[in-house]
């Protein structure tokens, strides 16, 4: 396939498999200005699928940085009602949401952390209606990536910008299975494999998982009663199948937010709010991070943990084999969308309510009582390694191997 053919296939995949655009629905596309051409391609494909309308929400990282550097803190503590209402309105009316990311991993390095924190809190509060509709399974969404020069240079520092971007495009296309052959069929086959593993984990109904590796991770996390493992596609309440992340290699569920003990060591860098955090450790007691350290980006890590009470507790545990197609490319992407799909990971912050049976129907208080964490954050960080061991513990106390040498045993 020529590049233009692959790009068009990527747009089709995003619209048809990513969010499954259906007749008469609104489509929100959050698009960085650098990806405007691709955004318009996605827009065209959405209309071909019968979208009622497509709402483009452009962003400009460079302009955002200028604002952070010059506007007062008070300007980041609220979101204008008209801005929030656009997203909340379309969520009420029935929409799907496509997020295109083109991230410089260090776009906001050196920016006032208070402003970044205030902005994150204010946006989450202002868009609460949007996210509540999403969490209840009434809004289909997906995230896809588009290269920018700063991101490509970070991954491939020894070549020209043009060559680096070309290499990153190749890596993205491989990650979303756009090569030779029928892309849709490849995704259907991949989805079946993920579903099979999730089904097996659900049958075990583990009460806890234990993680160990040679980096120093020695960690146990509890799992709530009636937790549900998911993998690959999800199904919205109105019966449409979609993929929240493209690529995706993970099988994930809800950890019990009050039951985490021990230390986890990061296996990959984390880009958080445009700041790089690397070679870090988190130590948990009674489900909460009580000690942390980072060789790079400790201030950013502290800011993340101090966002709110829930940012020191876990909202997701995900299993990904070391021998995944993304890991096989031997590329450190410096981007969570890709790196989380090359490594077992945990997430600090908000849980996905549907990862416990009936959770999407519960209030925040009732969900918390069952072990579900609440936070403005949901930040994945990678812990998987080639020698990762994962043991599942059943209600009867039986210890069952889940991972050996970084890969599933089943």
């Amino acid at each position: 396939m020529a590049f233009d053919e692959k790009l068009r296939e990527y747009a089709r995949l995003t619209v048809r498999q990513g969010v499954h655009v259906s007749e008469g629905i609104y489509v929100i596309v959050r698009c960085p200005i650098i990806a405007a051409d691709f955004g318009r391609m996605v827009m065209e494909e959405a209309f071909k699928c019968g979208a009622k309308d497509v709402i483009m929400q452009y962003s400009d990282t460079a302009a955002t940085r200028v604002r952070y550097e010059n506007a007062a803190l008070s300007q980041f503590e609220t979101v204008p009602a008209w801005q929030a209402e656009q997203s909340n309105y379309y969520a009420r009316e029935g929409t799907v949401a496509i997020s295109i990311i083109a991230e410089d991993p260090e776009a906001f390095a050196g920016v006032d952390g208070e402003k970044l924190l205030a902005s994150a809190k204010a946006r989450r509060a202002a868009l609460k209606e949007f996210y509540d509709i999403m969490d209840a399974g009434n809004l289909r969404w997906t995230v896809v990536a588009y290269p920018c020069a700063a991101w490509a240079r970070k991954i491939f520092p020894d070549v020209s910008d043009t060559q680096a971007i070309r290499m990153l495009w190749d890596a993205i296309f491989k990650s979303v299975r756009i090569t030779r052959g029928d892309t849709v069929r490849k995704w259907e086959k991949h989805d079946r494999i993920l579903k099979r593993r999730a089904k097996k984990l659900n049958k075990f109904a583990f009460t806890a998982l234990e993680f160990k590796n040679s980096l120093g991770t020695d960690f146990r996390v509890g799992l709530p009663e009636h937790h549900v493992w998911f993998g690959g596609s999800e199904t919205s309440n109105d019966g449409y199948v979609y993929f929240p992340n493209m690529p995706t290699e993970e099988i994930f569920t809800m950890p019990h937010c009050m039951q985490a003990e021990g230390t986890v060591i990061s296996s990959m860098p984390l880009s958080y709010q445009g700041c790089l955090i690397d070679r870090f450790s988190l130590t948990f007691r009674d489900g909460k991070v009580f000690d942390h350290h980072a060789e790079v980006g400790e201030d950013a890590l502290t800011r993340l943990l101090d966002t709110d009470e829930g940012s020191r507790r876990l909202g997701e545990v995900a299993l990904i084999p070391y021998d995944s197609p993304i890991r096989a490319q031997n590329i450190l992407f410096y981007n969570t969308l890709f790196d989380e799909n090359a490594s077992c990971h945990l997430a600090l912050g908000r849980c996905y309510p549907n990862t416990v049976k009936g959770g999407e129907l519960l209030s925040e208080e009732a969900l918390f009582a069952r072990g579900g964490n609440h936070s403005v954050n949901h930040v994945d960080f990678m812990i998987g390694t080639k020698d990762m061991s994962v043991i599942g513990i059943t209600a009867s106390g039986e210890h069952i191997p889940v991972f050996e040498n970084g890969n599933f045993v089943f």
Side-chain angles (χ1 to χ4, degrees), residues 210-225:
E210 292 182 347
F211 295 79
K212 291 185 180 181
N213 66 12
S214 59
L215 277 182
T217 289
D218 190 351
F219 176 70
R220 176 176 174 135
V221 60
L223 301 176
E225 189 176 7

Side-chain angles (χ1 to χ4, degrees), residues 40-225:
R40 287 188 287 270
M41 194 176 289
V42 167
M43 191 177 191
E44 291 171 359
E45 292 299 326
F47 278 120
K48 287 178 184 177
C49 289
K52 181 187 298 186
D53 200 359
V54 181
I55 298 87
M56 298 296 293
Q57 296 180 342
Y58 287 112
S59 61
D60 178 2
T61 301
T64 301
R65 183 178 179 106
V66 170
R67 182 168 178 259
Y68 276 129
E69 290 175 337
N70 292 277
L73 174 62
S74 60
Q75 296 304 303
F76 300 95
E77 293 173 337
T78 59
V79 174
W82 64 268
Q83 284 187 5
E85 179 59 15
Q86 184 185 50
S87 293
N88 291 335
Y89 167 82
Y90 285 113
R92 288 194 301 270
E93 293 297 309
T95 191
V96 299
I98 297 169
S99 294
I100 303 168
I101 58 171
E103 296 182 352
D104 173 359
E106 299 178 273
F108 300 128
V111 166
D112 184 347
E114 281 192 79
K115 293 179 182 179
L116 293 168
L117 179 57
S119 179
K121 286 183 174 180
R123 180 170 176 79
R124 182 70 194 186
L127 297 182
K128 184 178 186 303
E129 183 178 7
F130 179 93
Y131 289 116
D132 284 350
I133 291 171
M134 176 190 289
D135 288 344
N138 293 318
L139 192 158
R140 308 190 294 276
W141 57 279
T142 197
V143 182
V144 297
Y146 186 97
C148 68
W151 179 22
R153 277 197 305 271
K154 185 73 178 178
I155 302 172
F156 306 109
D158 299 325
V159 299
S160 68
D161 284 4
T162 300
Q163 181 66 14
I165 290 172
R166 186 180 303 120
M167 293 168 71
L168 182 50
W169 265 125
D170 287 343
I172 290 172
F173 288 145
K174 287 177 184 176
S175 299
V176 296
R177 293 173 164 77
I178 297 176
T179 52
R180 293 190 180 96
D182 187 334
T183 305
V184 171
R185 185 168 295 178
K186 290 176 190 174
W187 273 87
E188 289 173 346
K189 179 181 178 181
H190 176 51
D191 195 32
R192 288 194 295 271
I193 293 170
L194 295 174
K195 291 287 190 296
R196 176 179 59 80
R197 284 177 170 158
K199 183 177 180 180
K200 194 169 184 71
L201 286 166
N202 284 324
K203 284 185 177 179
F204 282 126
F206 293 127
T207 60
L209 296 174
E210 292 182 347
F211 295 79
K212 291 185 180 181
N213 66 12
S214 59
L215 277 182
T217 289
D218 190 351
F219 176 70
R220 176 176 174 135
V221 60
L223 301 176
E225 189 176 7

Side-chain angles (χ1 to χ4, degrees), residues 80-384:
W82 64 268
Q83 284 187 5
E85 179 59 15
Q86 184 185 50
S87 293
N88 291 335
Y89 167 82
Y90 285 113
R92 288 194 301 270
E93 293 297 309
T95 191
V96 299
I98 297 169
S99 294
I100 303 168
I101 58 171
E103 296 182 352
D104 173 359
E106 299 178 273
F108 300 128
V111 166
D112 184 347
E114 281 192 79
K115 293 179 182 179
L116 293 168
L117 179 57
S119 179
K121 286 183 174 180
R123 180 170 176 79
R124 182 70 194 186
L127 297 182
K128 184 178 186 303
E129 183 178 7
F130 179 93
Y131 289 116
D132 284 350
I133 291 171
M134 176 190 289
D135 288 344
N138 293 318
L139 192 158
R140 308 190 294 276
W141 57 279
T142 197
V143 182
V144 297
Y146 186 97
C148 68
W151 179 22
R153 277 197 305 271
K154 185 73 178 178
I155 302 172
F156 306 109
D158 299 325
V159 299
S160 68
D161 284 4
T162 300
Q163 181 66 14
I165 290 172
R166 186 180 303 120
M167 293 168 71
L168 182 50
W169 265 125
D170 287 343
I172 290 172
F173 288 145
K174 287 177 184 176
S175 299
V176 296
R177 293 173 164 77
I178 297 176
T179 52
R180 293 190 180 96
D182 187 334
T183 305
V184 171
R185 185 168 295 178
K186 290 176 190 174
W187 273 87
E188 289 173 346
K189 179 181 178 181
H190 176 51
D191 195 32
R192 288 194 295 271
I193 293 170
L194 295 174
K195 291 287 190 296
R196 176 179 59 80
R197 284 177 170 158
K199 183 177 180 180
K200 194 169 184 71
L201 286 166
N202 284 324
K203 284 185 177 179
F204 282 126
F206 293 127
T207 60
L209 296 174
E210 292 182 347
F211 295 79
K212 291 185 180 181
N213 66 12
S214 59
L215 277 182
T217 289
D218 190 351
F219 176 70
R220 176 176 174 135
V221 60
L223 301 176
E225 189 176 7
H226 304 306
H227 67 274
V228 181
W229 289 92
F230 285 97
S233 65
E234 296 187 21
T235 303
S236 61
N237 289 341
D238 52 359
Y240 288 96
V241 175
Y242 68 103
F243 287 88
N245 290 332
M246 302 188 88
T248 185
E249 303 289 336
E250 64 180 336
I251 314 293
F252 65 96
T253 194
M254 180 189 295
H256 197 298
C257 67
M258 306 298 286
Q259 299 175 9
E261 305 289 335
T263 298
V264 290
I265 310 294
S266 66
S267 59
M268 292 183 181
L270 167 64
S271 179
Y272 172 67
Q273 292 185 337
C275 303
L276 206 62
I277 306 170
D278 196 9
R279 298 187 294 280
F280 62 93
S281 64
L282 302 173
T283 301
F284 290 80
R285 181 186 297 157
D286 296 327
K288 186 176 182 179
V289 176
F290 78 92
D291 191 25
H292 67 280
H293 172 69
E295 292 185 26
V296 177
E298 183 152 6
D299 287 348
L301 180 58
T302 302
R303 185 171 70 248
L304 163 60
L305 293 169
D306 288 346
T307 303
D308 56 23
E309 174 68 21
S311 293
R312 287 183 175 266
R313 298 185 184 275
L314 295 175
E316 179 187 1
V317 55
L319 302 177
I320 299 93
Y322 188 84
D323 294 337
S324 75
I326 297 175
R327 171 76 75 167
Q329 295 186 60
N330 199 29
I331 294 172
L332 179 59
F333 282 89
Y334 297 97
N335 182 291
T336 301
L337 178 62
F338 293 87
D339 290 336
E340 73 165 358
N341 283 297
S343 170
C344 289
H345 61 267
L346 304 169
L348 292 164
R350 185 179 70 259
C351 72
Y352 295 121
N354 63 336
T355 50
V356 68
K357 190 173 182 180
E360 67 276 14
L361 304 176
L362 299 177
S363 66
E364 287 179 4
E365 293 76 14
L367 185 62
F368 182 77
R370 294 183 62 178
N373 196 29
H374 176 67
S375 171
V376 300
N377 279 320
H378 179 95
V379 179
D380 299 292
F381 64 97
M382 286 58 76
I383 64 170

